[in-house]
Amino acid sequence: MPDITDSSRQFLKRMLAAWAVLTLLFAGLGPEVSAPLGFGGRLLFWALHIGFGLVCAALATRLLVDKSNLKPDWRLIFVAAVLGVMAFAPIALALERLFPTLETLHPDDALDQWASDGFIQALVAEALSAAPSFIPAWLLINLDAVWQPSTQARTDTNADAEPVLPFALPAAIGTDLVAISADLHYLHVYTRAGKAMVLGSLASIAESLGERGMLVHRSHWIAVDQVVRLRKTAKQWHLDMHGDLSVPISRRKRKAVVERLGQDFEVASSDSSGDGVSSI
């Protein structure tokens, strides 16, 4: 299975690609708000605008995943994008003050004229102006997490055989959980048949799964019945799981893991991560 850091890099690459494409697009088109600037000025203006906007959306998404009871799907991403736009509005106004050339602009439509009536109106107008491009961009960046095939209704036979999970997984990878790892506001869910990425909070998911598994690290949950061996390296303890997956154990969780597995569980020592084992 792929290393969890590969998924992190892929998400970061999508963020950077969206930032670069949108920056070049707006700098080239030169919307009215940045029209008085030269191309270099517009490039800097939109790079800052879009970069801070994406950061606000990412923080809003993480907050919603951790604190809300919203279903972790495209609706959560949409709400996070709206909150991100609202949080970004005062930053956008501050950025515009950094470009003195823009102060020569005069209100040229009803929204601009309304924004000139006060600070609150300016914030609302800024959010409304950014939303049409900002929200679709954030949905596209998170497309692979929110466009997961919904778990279909099972037949009575399948319902008896397969446990109910607190999230939907593609039918192709089944529900035989091996491990779950947190990555920003995503969860990488590993099963015996494959892997999927969903939105969610690891702590709340671990609580809902109960005795089926345990948290062995602040970023990793494992299904106890999928552990192959407990392995000690020079730097850290690991759990080798079914599917050639290796999960690190935090120092403060080590005692609880050993107690849960039992003193007679196989313990192996090695100086590497294990032959054919992918770490997450």
Side-chain angles (χ1 to χ4, degrees):
M1 291 185 181
D3 194 304
I4 193 172
T5 55
D6 291 337
S7 298
S8 300
R9 293 191 191 100
Q10 291 171 9
F11 179 74
L12 181 58
K13 286 179 180 178
R14 289 198 304 273
M15 286 271 290
L16 292 175
W19 171 74
V21 169
L22 291 174
T23 296
L24 290 173
L25 178 65
F26 282 97
L29 293 176
E32 183 66 26
V33 67
S34 61
L37 302 172
F39 180 76
R42 292 199 301 272
L43 199 63
L44 177 60
F45 177 81
W46 288 111
L48 293 172
H49 249 65
I50 294 166
F52 278 110
L54 291 176
V55 169
C56 287
L59 293 175
T61 304
R62 182 58 184 269
L63 181 64
L64 280 178
V65 166
D66 289 342
K67 302 297 183 182
S68 77
N69 293 319
L70 292 174
K71 184 178 179 180
D73 57 12
W74 68 268
R75 285 165 288 191
L76 185 145
I77 292 295
F78 178 83
V79 173
V82 172
L83 293 178
V85 168
M86 295 169 60
F88 172 64
I91 299 175
L93 290 178
L95 288 174
E96 291 175 11
R97 301 295 186 270
L98 296 177
F99 294 84
T101 307
L102 301 182
E103 294 178 358
T104 61
L105 288 175
H106 297 288
D108 60 353
D109 60 25
L111 187 61
D112 287 340
Q113 292 175 6
W114 183 66
S116 64
D117 291 339
F119 180 69
I120 300 300
Q121 292 91 324
L123 287 178
V124 175
E126 194 69 42
L128 291 175
S129 298
S133 57
F134 187 91
I135 294 174
W138 190 241
L139 287 170
L140 286 173
I141 290 171
N142 291 274
L143 188 61
D144 59 345
V146 300
W147 193 32
Q148 294 284 358
S150 299
T151 302
Q152 301 297 322
R154 310 290 186 183
T155 62
D156 291 340
T157 302
N158 287 337
D160 293 336
E162 297 186 7
V164 177
L165 299 180
F167 43 72
L169 292 176
I173 71 169
T175 58
D176 198 358
L177 295 178
V178 174
I180 304 174
S181 294
D183 182 16
L184 298 177
H185 48 273
Y186 293 127
L187 296 177
H188 299 271
V189 181
Y190 298 85
T191 72
R192 292 289 292 266
K195 174 190 170 184
M197 185 164 63
V198 301
L199 289 162
S201 167
L202 184 61
S204 61
I205 293 297
E207 182 179 357
S208 65
L209 290 171
E211 292 300 310
R212 188 172 177 180
M214 64 182 301
L215 284 170
V216 298
H217 187 283
R218 65 180 181 179
S219 300
H220 304 293
W221 176 94
I222 57 97
V224 175
D225 62 353
Q226 299 295 324
V227 178
V228 175
R229 66 173 180 170
L230 179 63
R231 179 165 48 84
K232 180 182 179 182
T233 66
K235 294 183 178 180
Q236 195 169 24
W237 288 57
H238 295 259
L239 287 168
D240 291 341
M241 313 294 294
H242 280 292
D244 292 334
L245 195 66
S246 179
V247 180
I249 305 172
S250 68
R251 184 170 300 178
R252 68 185 186 88
K253 292 286 187 178
R254 187 185 306 162
K255 182 178 179 181
V257 171
V258 172
E259 290 177 351
R260 180 73 183 272
L261 295 178
Q263 294 293 337
D264 295 331
F265 198 84
E266 178 186 0
V267 179
S269 297
S270 69
D271 295 327
S272 64
S273 61
D275 295 336
V277 176
S278 297
S279 298
I280 63 174

